Amino acid sequence: MRHTYREIDACGVKVALKLLAGKWTPIIFYHLGAGPLRFTELWHEIPRVSKKVLVVQLRQLEEAGLVARSVHNGFPPEVSYQLTPKGAGLVPIMQSLDQWAMTHITEAVHIA
Amino acid sequence: MRHTYREIDACGVKVALKLLAGKWTPIIFYHLGAGPLRFTELWHEIPRVSKKVLVVQLRQLEEAGLVARSVHNGFPPEVSYQLTPKGAGLVPIMQSLDQWAMTHITEAVHIA
C-alpha cells in the first residue's frame, strides 16, 4: 500500500533519524567525514568507548550501508573504515545540525 | 568541565537528534513548517494519532522551545501552534534529511 506524499516525507525523515540515533554515530561521522581511518585511529579519536562497543556500532553502520569496512592484508591485517556515498550524504546534514545546536542549545557544551 | 571542540561538535548533534526523536515530531514539523495551525487543523493533518498523544507531543516540543502555543479567547477558546525561530531553524535540516532519504532509503515508502 502506498501512502500520501506527506506520510512518505515524514517517514523518510524518521528513517534517517533512526539511522543516526546510535550513541557514537555522530562522533564516528565527525571523524570519518574527514576521510578513511584505521580502526585503531578511529578508536583513539573517540574518548570513553571500548573497542568492543565501537566495533558493534561500526557494524550497525555498515549494515545500514553508511560505512564501508576494508581489510588490508598484512601482518597484522589492518581494518579501515570509510563513509559510503550514502553515509557521506549525511555529513553536511550533521554539520547543519551542529550549527543549529551551537546557536540554540547552550547546554550542549556542558555534557559529562 | 569543558571538553574538546570535537566532543562538543558531536554532542550538539546528539542533543539536536534527541529533540527530533519524538514519534510524531517529523510530521508536526512538516505541517507547522508551512505556518501556524489550530490544534484541530494540525490533528486532522496527521493520520492515526489521538488528540491526547498529539497534545503530549506538542507539550514536549513546547518545553524544548521548538513550538509556541497561543490561546485565542473566544467561545470556544482556540489553541494554535507555530514553530519558534529555534524550531524553524530545523525545518531546512528536516528537508535535507528527507531529500537524503528519498535518494538512499527505498524502503521509506513501504511503511505500514
Side-chain angles (χ1 to χ4, degrees):
Chain A
M1 176 185 170
R2 285 187 70 84
H3 294 80
T4 68
Y5 74 98
R6 282 176 172 162
E7 287 175 82
I8 291 168
D9 282 357
C11 172
V13 173
K14 280 175 72 172
V15 172
L17 288 171
K18 199 169 174 186
L19 288 175
L20 297 177
K23 181 173 181 183
W24 303 100
T25 304
I27 199 162
I28 290 171
F29 268 75
Y30 181 83
H31 292 295
L32 293 186
L37 286 176
R38 292 178 193 160
F39 177 77
T40 44
E41 290 172 324
L42 181 60
W43 182 64
H44 282 300
E45 291 286 359
I46 303 180
R48 299 187 303 277
V49 65
S50 71
K51 284 189 178 182
K52 188 175 168 187
V53 167
L54 185 58
V55 164
V56 170
Q57 183 82 86
L58 285 164
R59 195 174 300 140
Q60 287 168 353
L61 293 172
E62 202 187 339
E63 280 164 10
L66 302 176
V67 161
R69 179 177 179 274
S70 318
V71 181
H72 309 275
N73 289 326
F75 188 80
E78 277 178 6
V79 177
S80 69
Y81 291 89
Q82 67 185 91
L83 296 180
T84 61
K86 180 177 174 180
L90 288 171
V91 172
I93 300 176
M94 299 283 235
Q95 287 167 344
S96 300
L97 276 173
D98 181 51
Q99 203 57 48
W100 177 88
M102 293 266 213
T103 309
H104 294 289
I105 309 286
T106 49
E107 66 267 36
V109 295
H110 300 305
I111 47 160
Chain B
M1 175 185 172
R2 286 187 69 85
H3 294 80
T4 69
Y5 76 97
R6 281 175 172 162
E7 287 175 82
I8 290 169
D9 282 356
C11 172
V13 173
K14 279 175 74 172
V15 172
L17 288 171
K18 199 169 174 186
L19 287 174
L20 297 176
K23 181 173 181 184
W24 303 99
T25 304
I27 199 163
I28 290 171
F29 267 74
Y30 180 82
H31 292 295
L32 293 185
L37 287 176
R38 293 176 193 163
F39 177 78
T40 44
E41 290 173 323
L42 181 58
W43 182 64
H44 282 299
E45 291 285 0
I46 303 180
R48 299 187 302 277
V49 65
S50 72
K51 285 189 178 182
K52 190 175 167 185
V53 166
L54 185 57
V55 164
V56 170
Q57 182 81 87
L58 285 164
R59 194 175 300 141
Q60 288 168 352
L61 294 173
E62 203 186 338
E63 282 164 10
L66 301 176
V67 160
R69 179 178 178 273
S70 318
V71 181
H72 310 275
N73 289 326
F75 187 81
E78 277 178 6
V79 178
S80 68
Y81 290 90
Q82 66 184 94
L83 297 179
T84 61
K86 180 177 172 180
L90 289 171
V91 171
I93 300 176
M94 299 283 235
Q95 287 167 343
S96 300
L97 276 173
D98 181 50
Q99 203 59 48
W100 177 87
M102 293 264 213
T103 309
H104 294 289
I105 309 285
T106 48
E107 66 268 32
V109 295
H110 299 306
I111 49 161

